Amino acid sequence: MQRTTKAAEATTGTLPLAEASQPGRLISLDVFRGLTVMAMILVNNPGDWGHIYPPLEHAEWNGCTPTDLIFPFFLFIVGVSLVYALDGVKRQGGPQGAVLWRVLRRAAVLFGLGLLLSLYPKFDFSVVRVMGVLQRIALVFLGCGFIFLKTSWRTQVWLLIGFLVGYAVLMQLVPVPGFGPANLEPATNLGAWLDRLVFGEAHLWKQSRTWDPEGLLGTLPALGTGLLGGLTAQWLRRRDQEPAAKVAWLFVAGGAITLLGLIWAPWFPINKALWSSPYVLYTGGLAMAGLAALYWICDVQGYRAWTRPALVYGVNAVLVFCLSALLSRTFGLFKLALPTGKTGGLKEWLYEWGIAPYFHDPRNASLVGALLLILIWFGILNWMYRKGVVVKV
C-alpha cells in the first residue's frame, strides 16, 4: 500500500483505484464511497450480534434488506472509479501495457489483502478462506478494468447482458453433479458445487463450509455490477449533455433497471449470497439513482458543506475496511470476564461494561456501539484528511 501526503491528492482516493486528480472528477463519487464505507462499519460492528434491528441484518436467503445494498454499491463504485481513472489513457489510444500491468498488480494486492484478513490471527493455511469481500472486489476490478480498456461501451452493454443471462442459465438449467437438477439452495446449487470442487470445504466461508457467498461462479454477475458502474461513469463524462439531462436520464435508467430486476425476480429470486442476476439489476439501478442524486447535489448545485464525514471515509476506504476487521479480531484475542460471568473479547468487555448498562432496549445499545465506532474512526480519518494522508493500494 502507498502513502501520500500531497494536499492535492486528498480527495483522489478511490476503492480500490486512486490516481491523480483529473478534470471532471466527481466529488459525489467520493461522498457515495464514504457513505457506503460508513454503512459497512455500521452493519459489521454491532455492539451485540444477538440484538440487531432487522434493516441492519442481511436477508436470510432470498430478498434484500438495506444491508444487502452495501456490497453491490461498493462494486458499482469500483466500476465508476475505473472509468474516471483510465478514461484518459483509453482516449489517447496509445500502448496500454503499462496501465494493464498496473490494474493487474493492484488486483493482486487487493486479493492478497483479502487473504491476509482471512488468515489473521491464526495464519492456519489449512482452513483459510480463499474467497471473500476484498477478493471479489479484486476480481471485479481486474475484469472490468480490462473490459473497459479493450472494448466499446456497446460491447460492454452486451457483455453485461451476457453475464446476467448466462449466469441465470447456468444456475437454473445446468444439473448439479452429485445432486441432480439445477437448484438455488445454499449448499446444493451449481456455484456451491464449483467452490467445493476448486477450493475444498475447508477453504470456504467458515459459517457454512459447504458454500461461499463470494464464490467463483458469482463473480460473473458481480462483473455485471461493476459494468453498470462503468457505463454510468461513461454517461456522466459525456460532454454533449447538460448536467440536468444527465441526471434525468440516469434516474430514468436507474428506475427502469431496478424495475427490470423486480420483474425478473419471480423466476430468479433477488439473492445477495447467489449474487443473482435480478439482484444485480435491482441494486445497480438503486446505485445509479443514488449517484445521480449526489451528483446533482454535490457537483452541479455545489452543496458540499455536509459532505466532510463522507469524504474523510471515502478517501481512505480500503484502509478503514482492513483496519476495522484487523482490530476487531485483535480485540478478540484478549479474553476478559464479562458482567454476565462469561468470558469474552475486549470489544465485548467494553460494550458490556461501558454501553449496554445504560440502555433498556438491547437493540439500541447495540446500535449505539456501532455508531460510537463510526465516530472513533471519523476522528482518526479526519485527522488524516487534514494532514493530506491518503493510503492507496
Side-chain angles (χ1 to χ4, degrees):
M1 301 179 79
Q2 292 178 292
R3 175 182 179 271
T4 176
T5 57
K6 295 178 182 178
E9 292 179 351
T11 59
T12 66
T14 63
L15 180 62
L17 189 64
E19 293 293 351
S21 185
Q22 49 186 284
R25 169 166 188 82
L26 295 181
I27 296 298
S28 52
L29 180 60
D30 291 323
V31 173
F32 194 17
R33 184 186 307 106
L35 292 174
T36 304
V37 175
M38 293 168 72
M40 177 272 294
I41 297 292
L42 179 69
V43 303
N44 283 356
N45 298 276
D48 181 358
W49 282 102
H51 298 91
I52 307 173
Y53 283 106
L56 301 181
E57 294 187 90
H58 291 291
E60 187 172 347
W61 188 240
N62 294 332
C64 185
T65 71
T67 298
D68 293 319
L69 299 176
I70 295 172
F71 194 12
F73 281 14
F74 264 83
L75 293 187
F76 180 90
I77 290 167
V78 167
V80 177
S81 301
L82 276 166
V83 171
Y84 272 80
L86 302 178
D87 193 39
V89 174
K90 184 176 181 179
R91 288 177 184 273
Q92 289 173 6
Q96 297 178 349
V99 71
L100 290 172
W101 169 249
R102 192 161 71 245
V103 169
L104 178 61
R105 182 183 63 81
R106 291 186 174 185
V109 171
L110 277 170
F111 201 97
L113 285 173
L115 284 177
L116 176 63
L117 291 180
S118 296
L119 284 165
Y120 185 81
K122 297 181 179 180
F123 290 91
D124 186 349
F125 286 86
S126 66
V127 293
V128 63
R129 182 189 178 197
V130 176
M131 300 300 288
V133 171
L134 282 178
Q135 292 91 318
R136 173 159 286 182
I137 292 174
L139 293 176
V140 170
F141 174 72
L142 178 63
C144 288
F146 273 62
I147 288 171
F148 172 69
L149 287 170
K150 295 298 184 181
T151 66
S152 67
W153 71 265
R154 290 182 177 85
T155 300
Q156 292 161 33
V157 170
W158 283 111
L159 285 172
L160 169 63
I161 295 170
F163 288 149
L164 299 188
V165 174
Y167 183 65
V169 170
L170 289 172
M171 293 294 289
Q172 296 185 281
L173 296 180
V174 176
V176 183
F179 292 97
N183 69 89
L184 300 177
E185 296 304 313
T188 58
N189 67 75
L190 188 65
W193 168 82
L194 180 63
D195 290 332
R196 290 194 297 270
L197 177 68
V198 175
F199 302 121
E201 292 186 359
H203 300 289
L204 301 182
W205 188 45
K206 66 179 181 179
Q207 280 84 343
S208 71
R209 295 302 188 193
T210 57
W211 62 279
D212 198 304
E214 279 79 51
L216 277 177
L217 195 57
T219 304
L220 286 177
L223 284 169
T225 301
L227 287 175
L228 278 173
L231 290 166
T232 299
Q234 290 173 72
W235 172 255
L236 286 173
R237 287 180 67 85
R238 289 185 58 167
R239 299 177 181 178
D240 59 344
Q241 294 286 337
E242 293 297 323
K246 292 180 181 179
V247 171
W249 280 111
L250 279 181
F251 274 118
V252 170
I257 291 171
T258 301
L259 180 60
L260 183 59
L262 293 172
I263 292 172
W264 196 350
W267 292 273
F268 192 6
I270 291 174
N271 185 303
K272 176 189 178 294
L274 296 176
W275 214 273
S276 65
S277 302
Y279 174 74
V280 172
L281 296 175
Y282 177 72
T283 58
L286 292 177
M288 191 178 294
L291 181 59
L294 289 172
Y295 171 72
W296 180 256
I297 294 169
C298 301
D299 293 288
V300 179
Q301 298 299 316
Y303 297 124
R304 302 177 183 178
W306 61 277
T307 62
R308 181 62 174 259
L311 285 174
V312 303
Y313 267 90
V315 298
N316 275 305
V318 174
L319 177 70
V320 70
F321 179 91
C322 292
L323 288 185
S324 63
L326 289 173
L327 286 176
S328 178
R329 296 174 191 182
T330 300
F331 282 4
L333 299 175
F334 300 91
K335 300 302 180 183
L336 303 168
L338 303 178
T340 58
K342 298 180 179 179
T343 300
L346 179 57
K347 178 184 175 182
E348 289 78 14
W349 185 85
L350 291 170
Y351 172 76
E352 293 291 345
W353 283 102
I355 298 176
Y358 300 98
F359 294 87
H360 176 71
D361 189 334
R363 295 177 301 176
N364 290 336
S366 183
L367 177 60
V368 168
L371 292 173
L372 182 60
L373 187 60
I374 290 176
L375 289 175
I376 292 172
W377 275 116
F378 172 73
I380 297 170
L381 296 171
N382 190 52
W383 176 84
M384 294 176 65
Y385 188 87
R386 285 190 286 107
K387 296 294 184 180
V389 178
V390 178
V391 179
K392 305 187 295 182
V393 174

